[in-house]
Amino acid sequence: MNDVVAQLTQFFLQYSLKQRAIITAIIVGFLSIVIALLMWANKTEYELLFANLAPQDASEIVTNLSNDKIKYRLENGGTTIYVQQDKMEEMRIRFHSLGAGSNAPQGFDDIFDPEKQNIGETTNMQRVKIIRAKEGELMKTLNSMIWIKGSRVHLNIPERRLFEDDRRGSASVFLVLNRSSVQESQIKSIPALISGSIDGIQPEDVRVMDSRGNLLYNGEKENTLGLSGTQWELTNSVSNEIKLKARNIVESSVGFGNSSVQVGVELNFDQVQQTIEDIDPDDVTVLSEEIINESNQDNVDSSTAAVENSVTNYEFSKTVRNIVHGTGNIKRLSVAVAVNGKYETIITDDGEENQQYVPRTPQELEDLTTLVKGAIGYNEERGDVVNVINIQFADPVVYEGGFIDNFKDFEMWKEIFMYLLIAVGLYLGFNLVKGLMNTEATSKILIPFELQKKALASGKENSLIAAAKEKTPEEEIDEDIYIAKLSPEARARMKANDKMTQDVIAFAEQNPEQVTGLMRAWLAEQPKA
């Protein structure tokens, strides 16, 4: 082991400081990429377990998860808990069975539990419990709506008193929405729900607000359209209904995609109240009759004069009708229908089959007009207009979106990114190994280990080369193979060393006396042992 460490140490020290920094950065980067890929491949996928939990419930659930060594993640200040994906369904069933969410809205079953002892409760306490139970039931219903994340309901129900008319109550609703945009019909469903559930509360007695402080419903009275919505919504609804009827009847004759229908509807939103009183002169009823008899006696001749008067009161039969004309009646209707012609197959002189456009006949257009009028409830007195014309439709543009749609797949990009990281890691690793193989230090490492061991023991400056010269003929390495493994920089340094050695040898041969004097001076300077 020490030999391997020494070998790697010597291999690393053969490079300059700059080269060592580059090699270290490449190795660290490559290992980081490999570790990141492994961590990403083994990443735990989390899925929502519970949201909007009370602190007590969240603490209980987290404690159980920790005891069971199940991975989890907390968000939204600890009120939302995520667990690993493969355990989500099991944990949800388990915690529901254990009564998780004990701080959820409590209804009648929770407050008026038969197992609980209610002895000694006063009438006022029972009344408060009833109000709490009603609030809880309403909150349960509201929380079951997909666009509501959470809710609070506050009811103000006045206490009934003797000899006093029933007083109307009120309600306030606080909502936490799942999305920012909510339709008006959805908001209006809340006052309708509360007024239908609580006696003495009308829709105009309900106030609705959201968690951002926006007043969503301020107790407006229902408009004259009732549940049909606003005037624009009603107009659009009637237009679509008539358009569907006209298109169905036309497409049944000309085929799917060969017709286009547009409808314009003008509705009357004026509310008219009419009172009609009809009197029948032939139907007379005696209401009362008064008869007065008077008699007068003459004192002269003792004669008596009798007078009879009668008063009869009659009542004619009459009918009073109060007619309220509803709003949203159709005032005028206009329908435009465009139908495509027919295509017939003809054979040319060359024997090829071609499709030829043939317009529809006036009789066909007249028949289609009659069908449309019958389907939409045409009324000439109302000024309705129906136009059916024949026009050649343009050929639809074929959009080949299959290839482009593939790039919208998130999973595909996820796999491409993973493979790309692997390819980059392999490329960097290959270049690192290739660069190391072409260096002088790497070539020295390729010399048999026994020679390196001798070189390390000798302590000479050029230890590997010296050890290579001492190896046996069986261990001799071809110089061409050795030189080919060196990098261009190493080969250049080797040639420079060879040239310097040849110059020294040539100088010694030409000036033997000077060389001898120089060697004697070196020996004289060496310290004596």
mmCIF file with all atom_site columns, all heavy atoms in Angstrom, residues 249-265:
data_model
loop_
_atom_site.group_PDB
_atom_site.id
_atom_site.type_symbol
_atom_site.label_atom_id
_atom_site.label_alt_id
_atom_site.label_comp_id
_atom_site.label_asym_id
_atom_site.label_entity_id
_atom_site.label_seq_id
_atom_site.pdbx_PDB_ins_code
_atom_site.Cartn_x
_atom_site.Cartn_y
_atom_site.Cartn_z
_atom_site.occupancy
_atom_site.B_iso_or_equiv
_atom_site.pdbx_formal_charge
_atom_site.auth_seq_id
_atom_site.auth_comp_id
_atom_site.auth_asym_id
_atom_site.auth_atom_id
_atom_site.pdbx_PDB_model_num
ATOM 1   N N   . ILE A 1 249 ? -79.116 20.574 -36.751 1.00 0.00 ? 249 ILE A N   1
ATOM 2   C CA  . ILE A 1 249 ? -80.064 20.286 -37.823 1.00 0.00 ? 249 ILE A CA  1
ATOM 3   C C   . ILE A 1 249 ? -79.419 20.451 -39.191 1.00 0.00 ? 249 ILE A C   1
ATOM 4   O O   . ILE A 1 249 ? -79.735 19.726 -40.148 1.00 0.00 ? 249 ILE A O   1
ATOM 5   C CB  . ILE A 1 249 ? -81.326 21.181 -37.681 1.00 0.00 ? 249 ILE A CB  1
ATOM 6   C CG1 . ILE A 1 249 ? -82.456 20.641 -38.553 1.00 0.00 ? 249 ILE A CG1 1
ATOM 7   C CG2 . ILE A 1 249 ? -81.004 22.602 -38.013 1.00 0.00 ? 249 ILE A CG2 1
ATOM 8   C CD1 . ILE A 1 249 ? -82.999 19.322 -38.110 1.00 0.00 ? 249 ILE A CD1 1
ATOM 9   N N   . VAL A 1 250 ? -78.472 21.398 -39.317 1.00 0.00 ? 250 VAL A N   1
ATOM 10  C CA  . VAL A 1 250 ? -77.811 21.608 -40.605 1.00 0.00 ? 250 VAL A CA  1
ATOM 11  C C   . VAL A 1 250 ? -76.793 20.508 -40.872 1.00 0.00 ? 250 VAL A C   1
ATOM 12  O O   . VAL A 1 250 ? -76.707 19.964 -41.986 1.00 0.00 ? 250 VAL A O   1
ATOM 13  C CB  . VAL A 1 250 ? -77.154 23.003 -40.641 1.00 0.00 ? 250 VAL A CB  1
ATOM 14  C CG1 . VAL A 1 250 ? -76.304 23.158 -41.902 1.00 0.00 ? 250 VAL A CG1 1
ATOM 15  C CG2 . VAL A 1 250 ? -78.212 24.086 -40.590 1.00 0.00 ? 250 VAL A CG2 1
ATOM 16  N N   . GLU A 1 251 ? -75.999 20.150 -39.849 1.00 0.00 ? 251 GLU A N   1
ATOM 17  C CA  . GLU A 1 251 ? -74.970 19.126 -40.055 1.00 0.00 ? 251 GLU A CA  1
ATOM 18  C C   . GLU A 1 251 ? -75.575 17.755 -40.323 1.00 0.00 ? 251 GLU A C   1
ATOM 19  O O   . GLU A 1 251 ? -74.930 16.906 -40.939 1.00 0.00 ? 251 GLU A O   1
ATOM 20  C CB  . GLU A 1 251 ? -74.047 19.063 -38.833 1.00 0.00 ? 251 GLU A CB  1
ATOM 21  C CG  . GLU A 1 251 ? -73.107 20.249 -38.725 1.00 0.00 ? 251 GLU A CG  1
ATOM 22  C CD  . GLU A 1 251 ? -72.145 20.114 -37.574 1.00 0.00 ? 251 GLU A CD  1
ATOM 23  O OE1 . GLU A 1 251 ? -72.379 19.207 -36.724 1.00 0.00 ? 251 GLU A OE1 1
ATOM 24  O OE2 . GLU A 1 251 ? -71.174 20.891 -37.496 1.00 0.00 ? 251 GLU A OE2 1
ATOM 25  N N   . SER A 1 252 ? -76.782 17.526 -39.850 1.00 0.00 ? 252 SER A N   1
ATOM 26  C CA  . SER A 1 252 ? -77.425 16.254 -40.170 1.00 0.00 ? 252 SER A CA  1
ATOM 27  C C   . SER A 1 252 ? -77.745 16.133 -41.648 1.00 0.00 ? 252 SER A C   1
ATOM 28  O O   . SER A 1 252 ? -77.932 15.021 -42.159 1.00 0.00 ? 252 SER A O   1
ATOM 29  C CB  . SER A 1 252 ? -78.717 16.104 -39.353 1.00 0.00 ? 252 SER A CB  1
ATOM 30  O OG  . SER A 1 252 ? -79.650 17.126 -39.698 1.00 0.00 ? 252 SER A OG  1
ATOM 31  N N   . SER A 1 253 ? -77.772 17.262 -42.362 1.00 0.00 ? 253 SER A N   1
ATOM 32  C CA  . SER A 1 253 ? -78.077 17.241 -43.798 1.00 0.00 ? 253 SER A CA  1
ATOM 33  C C   . SER A 1 253 ? -76.833 17.395 -44.660 1.00 0.00 ? 253 SER A C   1
ATOM 34  O O   . SER A 1 253 ? -76.701 16.726 -45.686 1.00 0.00 ? 253 SER A O   1
ATOM 35  C CB  . SER A 1 253 ? -79.066 18.371 -44.134 1.00 0.00 ? 253 SER A CB  1
ATOM 36  O OG  . SER A 1 253 ? -80.269 18.217 -43.406 1.00 0.00 ? 253 SER A OG  1
ATOM 37  N N   . VAL A 1 254 ? -75.913 18.266 -44.262 1.00 0.00 ? 254 VAL A N   1
ATOM 38  C CA  . VAL A 1 254 ? -74.745 18.550 -45.108 1.00 0.00 ? 254 VAL A CA  1
ATOM 39  C C   . VAL A 1 254 ? -73.491 17.846 -44.615 1.00 0.00 ? 254 VAL A C   1
ATOM 40  O O   . VAL A 1 254 ? -72.457 17.869 -45.292 1.00 0.00 ? 254 VAL A O   1
ATOM 41  C CB  . VAL A 1 254 ? -74.506 20.071 -45.183 1.00 0.00 ? 254 VAL A CB  1
ATOM 42  C CG1 . VAL A 1 254 ? -75.717 20.764 -45.763 1.00 0.00 ? 254 VAL A CG1 1
ATOM 43  C CG2 . VAL A 1 254 ? -74.140 20.637 -43.815 1.00 0.00 ? 254 VAL A CG2 1
ATOM 44  N N   . GLY A 1 255 ? -73.520 17.234 -43.424 1.00 0.00 ? 255 GLY A N   1
ATOM 45  C CA  . GLY A 1 255 ? -72.346 16.534 -42.910 1.00 0.00 ? 255 GLY A CA  1
ATOM 46  C C   . GLY A 1 255 ? -71.549 17.398 -41.957 1.00 0.00 ? 255 GLY A C   1
ATOM 47  O O   . GLY A 1 255 ? -71.632 18.630 -41.957 1.00 0.00 ? 255 GLY A O   1
ATOM 48  N N   . PHE A 1 256 ? -70.765 16.716 -41.130 1.00 0.00 ? 256 PHE A N   1
ATOM 49  C CA  . PHE A 1 256 ? -69.976 17.408 -40.112 1.00 0.00 ? 256 PHE A CA  1
ATOM 50  C C   . PHE A 1 256 ? -68.864 18.228 -40.773 1.00 0.00 ? 256 PHE A C   1
ATOM 51  O O   . PHE A 1 256 ? -68.168 17.774 -41.674 1.00 0.00 ? 256 PHE A O   1
ATOM 52  C CB  . PHE A 1 256 ? -69.357 16.396 -39.145 1.00 0.00 ? 256 PHE A CB  1
ATOM 53  C CG  . PHE A 1 256 ? -68.486 17.015 -38.109 1.00 0.00 ? 256 PHE A CG  1
ATOM 54  C CD1 . PHE A 1 256 ? -69.039 17.664 -37.014 1.00 0.00 ? 256 PHE A CD1 1
ATOM 55  C CD2 . PHE A 1 256 ? -67.101 16.983 -38.227 1.00 0.00 ? 256 PHE A CD2 1
ATOM 56  C CE1 . PHE A 1 256 ? -68.241 18.251 -36.051 1.00 0.00 ? 256 PHE A CE1 1
ATOM 57  C CE2 . PHE A 1 256 ? -66.294 17.564 -37.275 1.00 0.00 ? 256 PHE A CE2 1
ATOM 58  C CZ  . PHE A 1 256 ? -66.866 18.201 -36.186 1.00 0.00 ? 256 PHE A CZ  1
ATOM 59  N N   . GLY A 1 257 ? -68.689 19.457 -40.296 1.00 0.00 ? 257 GLY A N   1
ATOM 60  C CA  . GLY A 1 257 ? -67.635 20.323 -40.791 1.00 0.00 ? 257 GLY A CA  1
ATOM 61  C C   . GLY A 1 257 ? -67.977 21.058 -42.063 1.00 0.00 ? 257 GLY A C   1
ATOM 62  O O   . GLY A 1 257 ? -67.140 21.813 -42.576 1.00 0.00 ? 257 GLY A O   1
ATOM 63  N N   . ASN A 1 258 ? -69.181 20.884 -42.582 1.00 0.00 ? 258 ASN A N   1
ATOM 64  C CA  . ASN A 1 258 ? -69.585 21.550 -43.823 1.00 0.00 ? 258 ASN A CA  1
ATOM 65  C C   . ASN A 1 258 ? -70.539 22.708 -43.558 1.00 0.00 ? 258 ASN A C   1
ATOM 66  O O   . ASN A 1 258 ? -71.241 23.142 -44.491 1.00 0.00 ? 258 ASN A O   1
ATOM 67  C CB  . ASN A 1 258 ? -70.249 20.548 -44.777 1.00 0.00 ? 258 ASN A CB  1
ATOM 68  C CG  . ASN A 1 258 ? -69.248 19.571 -45.361 1.00 0.00 ? 258 ASN A CG  1
ATOM 69  O OD1 . ASN A 1 258 ? -68.120 19.943 -45.673 1.00 0.00 ? 258 ASN A OD1 1
ATOM 70  N ND2 . ASN A 1 258 ? -69.648 18.324 -45.489 1.00 0.00 ? 258 ASN A ND2 1
ATOM 71  N N   . SER A 1 259 ? -70.598 23.194 -42.346 1.00 0.00 ? 259 SER A N   1
ATOM 72  C CA  . SER A 1 259 ? -71.489 24.313 -42.049 1.00 0.00 ? 259 SER A CA  1
ATOM 73  C C   . SER A 1 259 ? -70.875 25.175 -40.963 1.00 0.00 ? 259 SER A C   1
ATOM 74  O O   . SER A 1 259 ? -70.062 24.719 -40.155 1.00 0.00 ? 259 SER A O   1
ATOM 75  C CB  . SER A 1 259 ? -72.861 23.801 -41.586 1.00 0.00 ? 259 SER A CB  1
ATOM 76  O OG  . SER A 1 259 ? -72.744 23.110 -40.351 1.00 0.00 ? 259 SER A OG  1
ATOM 77  N N   . SER A 1 260 ? -71.271 26.446 -40.978 1.00 0.00 ? 260 SER A N   1
ATOM 78  C CA  . SER A 1 260 ? -70.865 27.403 -39.961 1.00 0.00 ? 260 SER A CA  1
ATOM 79  C C   . SER A 1 260 ? -72.081 28.226 -39.584 1.00 0.00 ? 260 SER A C   1
ATOM 80  O O   . SER A 1 260 ? -72.746 28.794 -40.454 1.00 0.00 ? 260 SER A O   1
ATOM 81  C CB  . SER A 1 260 ? -69.746 28.315 -40.487 1.00 0.00 ? 260 SER A CB  1
ATOM 82  O OG  . SER A 1 260 ? -69.387 29.275 -39.520 1.00 0.00 ? 260 SER A OG  1
ATOM 83  N N   . VAL A 1 261 ? -72.372 28.284 -38.284 1.00 0.00 ? 261 VAL A N   1
ATOM 84  C CA  . VAL A 1 261 ? -73.588 28.940 -37.793 1.00 0.00 ? 261 VAL A CA  1
ATOM 85  C C   . VAL A 1 261 ? -73.203 30.035 -36.814 1.00 0.00 ? 261 VAL A C   1
ATOM 86  O O   . VAL A 1 261 ? -72.392 29.810 -35.900 1.00 0.00 ? 261 VAL A O   1
ATOM 87  C CB  . VAL A 1 261 ? -74.535 27.931 -37.119 1.00 0.00 ? 261 VAL A CB  1
ATOM 88  C CG1 . VAL A 1 261 ? -75.793 28.632 -36.633 1.00 0.00 ? 261 VAL A CG1 1
ATOM 89  C CG2 . VAL A 1 261 ? -74.882 26.801 -38.073 1.00 0.00 ? 261 VAL A CG2 1
ATOM 90  N N   . GLN A 1 262 ? -73.775 31.205 -37.011 1.00 0.00 ? 262 GLN A N   1
ATOM 91  C CA  . GLN A 1 262 ? -73.610 32.326 -36.088 1.00 0.00 ? 262 GLN A CA  1
ATOM 92  C C   . GLN A 1 262 ? -74.985 32.860 -35.726 1.00 0.00 ? 262 GLN A C   1
ATOM 93  O O   . GLN A 1 262 ? -75.857 32.992 -36.592 1.00 0.00 ? 262 GLN A O   1
ATOM 94  C CB  . GLN A 1 262 ? -72.757 33.437 -36.703 1.00 0.00 ? 262 GLN A CB  1
ATOM 95  C CG  . GLN A 1 262 ? -71.326 33.032 -36.988 1.00 0.00 ? 262 GLN A CG  1
ATOM 96  C CD  . GLN A 1 262 ? -70.545 32.671 -35.733 1.00 0.00 ? 262 GLN A CD  1
ATOM 97  O OE1 . GLN A 1 262 ? -70.810 33.231 -34.671 1.00 0.00 ? 262 GLN A OE1 1
ATOM 98  N NE2 . GLN A 1 262 ? -69.615 31.746 -35.853 1.00 0.00 ? 262 GLN A NE2 1
ATOM 99  N N   . VAL A 1 263 ? -75.178 33.166 -34.436 1.00 0.00 ? 263 VAL A N   1
ATOM 100 C CA  . VAL A 1 263 ? -76.485 33.584 -33.929 1.00 0.00 ? 263 VAL A CA  1
ATOM 101 C C   . VAL A 1 263 ? -76.341 34.903 -33.197 1.00 0.00 ? 263 VAL A C   1
ATOM 102 O O   . VAL A 1 263 ? -75.408 35.082 -32.390 1.00 0.00 ? 263 VAL A O   1
ATOM 103 C CB  . VAL A 1 263 ? -77.085 32.511 -32.994 1.00 0.00 ? 263 VAL A CB  1
ATOM 104 C CG1 . VAL A 1 263 ? -78.400 32.991 -32.403 1.00 0.00 ? 263 VAL A CG1 1
ATOM 105 C CG2 . VAL A 1 263 ? -77.277 31.197 -33.736 1.00 0.00 ? 263 VAL A CG2 1
ATOM 106 N N   . GLY A 1 264 ? -77.255 35.809 -33.489 1.00 0.00 ? 264 GLY A N   1
ATOM 107 C CA  . GLY A 1 264 ? -77.346 37.057 -32.751 1.00 0.00 ? 264 GLY A CA  1
ATOM 108 C C   . GLY A 1 264 ? -78.685 37.139 -32.043 1.00 0.00 ? 264 GLY A C   1
ATOM 109 O O   . GLY A 1 264 ? -79.737 36.999 -32.670 1.00 0.00 ? 264 GLY A O   1
ATOM 110 N N   . VAL A 1 265 ? -78.641 37.354 -30.722 1.00 0.00 ? 265 VAL A N   1
ATOM 111 C CA  . VAL A 1 265 ? -79.859 37.368 -29.915 1.00 0.00 ? 265 VAL A CA  1
ATOM 112 C C   . VAL A 1 265 ? -79.971 38.717 -29.222 1.00 0.00 ? 265 VAL A C   1
ATOM 113 O O   . VAL A 1 265 ? -79.004 39.216 -28.641 1.00 0.00 ? 265 VAL A O   1
ATOM 114 C CB  . VAL A 1 265 ? -79.852 36.232 -28.872 1.00 0.00 ? 265 VAL A CB  1
ATOM 115 C CG1 . VAL A 1 265 ? -81.122 36.279 -28.036 1.00 0.00 ? 265 VAL A CG1 1
ATOM 116 C CG2 . VAL A 1 265 ? -79.734 34.884 -29.551 1.00 0.00 ? 265 VAL A CG2 1
#
